[in-house]
Amino acid sequence: MKLRTKIHLYSSVLFALLFLTTNLIVYIVFSTMTLQQQQSRVESQTNKTADNMRQSSVDTPAADLLRAYVPIEGMIRIVRETGSNTLLVTSAAQQQLAQRPVKYMEERTAEIITYEQQRYVFVSVPVIWNDGQVVDIQITESLRQTEEYLRALRIVLLIVTGLAMIPVFLSGHVLGRIIIRPIAAITATMRDIRRSGQFQRLTMPPASSDELYEMSATFNSMMDLLESNYDKQKQFVSNASHELRTPLTIIESYASLLKRRGRDRPDLFEESVEAIHSEAIRMKEMTEQLLMLARHEEQWNLTVEPVNLLEQAQQLVREFDTAYHRRIEMRIDPELEKQPELLVIQTDAGKLRQMMFILLDNARKYSSDDIIIELTVEHLLPPSGSAGKTQNTAAIPSNRCIKIIDHGIGIPAADLDKVFDRFYRVDEARVRQDTGGSGLGLTLARRIAEALGASIRLESTAGQGTSAILSLPETSAPLPSFSANSN
């Protein structure tokens, strides 16, 4: 069953039940009040009749009195205590009441009874008769006319309910169409997207705060996100295939060259082996970076432990000096020299080292001058309510910053945000052999920083150099002190 049919059916049934319940309550309340009113009226009339008959019983025969006070549709009778010598008079339409059993009532009684499938109001009033005996003056009056009124009321309520169900049925149909319209539009749009392969948007109605407008807006936002991710994925696949095709082509070319001339040209053999080895290493690094970027952070198996930033930086300085013969200058904030325990943070040592290596490697590739590593403290905003007060610097929240500064070619301001995209290069004309890399390093560094709760930002001026600033959160637990001058 379709959702529109369900809405139509459920709303119609709900409103039908609501109308029937309401009308039933109205009928029960009205009929109860009407019957109680009739009972009160007959009871009051019987009291007056009993008083009048008692006063006139001396001068007027009892039979004449009964005929004078008999109801239009009913019966009046006098019942003695013994239940005998009963006098009664019935109206012409209620002769069957004469057969009703006689019962003497010691107390005043008023009730609604059913006799011969008809309902009556029965009232019995005890009075002292002219001979000194206590007798009951009993009046039984038919409720036929009241029953006809209630029957007419039932018919009217049923007709009103039936007529009211017509607009309810139509409104349920309209309501179902209104609710389903944006869902149907989304379904149709999805079918068009699947058929055409092009991302489409819903036509937005005027701004509103209802859920249907929010659903349409959410769908369009989702389409924007999917299209953006699709474009990035397409670009990524294109770039990845291009980047992987290049080393494979080089390897294949040199392998073919070796196959043809390698035995006769020793110098060509050395060149080919070196090129194949270099491209194989670059392709291996690129593949590892791609695989790591494809994983979720939960799959990186982070190991959080106390890490000394100075020791990590000094180790990388020694490795770069040995491998690339590049001088790296270390600078330490005076505050860190005074409080060397601030150099220790809780993080993953391997991932931190990988981040720093990526940033240092970029500085090495795009500059020929010395590289600078600065270890500093970045103080955050002081806690609220502390303005104008002197505070201990250690009490103010702070981050540890690692700045890697080079004096190379720099990055134009328009490209600063783009360099973190996969395979992005500021200068597409730059020969890859001059710099190496695959355009994945900064992307991977940012992903690692996000996993560690850190942040990376770049400050650069084209032609003057670049500063990569790695901001690490403050350690949350007291850790052992380390000397800032340790090697």
Side-chain angles (χ1 to χ4, degrees), residues 188-246:
T189 303
M190 288 181 175
R191 289 174 180 170
D192 291 341
I193 293 173
R194 183 176 60 182
R195 182 175 59 254
S196 64
Q198 301 294 326
F199 290 95
Q200 301 180 23
R201 310 295 189 275
L202 293 175
T203 302
M204 293 295 295
S208 175
S209 59
D210 61 16
E211 288 78 2
L212 298 179
Y213 178 85
E214 292 180 0
M215 182 176 63
S216 300
T218 303
F219 178 83
N220 286 346
S221 300
M222 183 182 66
M223 285 296 104
D224 293 338
L225 179 61
L226 288 176
E227 185 174 16
S228 175
N229 290 339
Y230 177 78
D231 292 339
K232 290 181 179 179
Q233 180 184 9
K234 185 167 63 173
Q235 181 182 5
F236 172 76
V237 172
S238 175
N239 293 336
S241 62
H242 172 74
E243 294 292 336
L244 290 174
R245 187 184 296 115
T246 300

Side-chain angles (χ1 to χ4, degrees), residues 3-4 7 172-184 212 215:
L3 181 59
R4 182 171 62 184
I7 295 174
H173 180 71
V174 173
L175 178 64
R177 294 186 61 181
I178 293 175
I179 295 177
I180 294 301
R181 186 181 299 136
I183 301 177
L212 298 179
M215 182 176 63

Side-chain angles (χ1 to χ4, degrees), residues 146-167:
T146 303
E147 294 282 356
E148 290 179 357
Y149 290 154
L150 294 177
R151 188 180 301 110
L153 176 61
R154 290 197 296 270
I155 294 174
V156 170
L157 290 177
L158 288 175
I159 293 175
V160 169
T161 301
L163 294 176
M165 284 305 300
I166 296 176

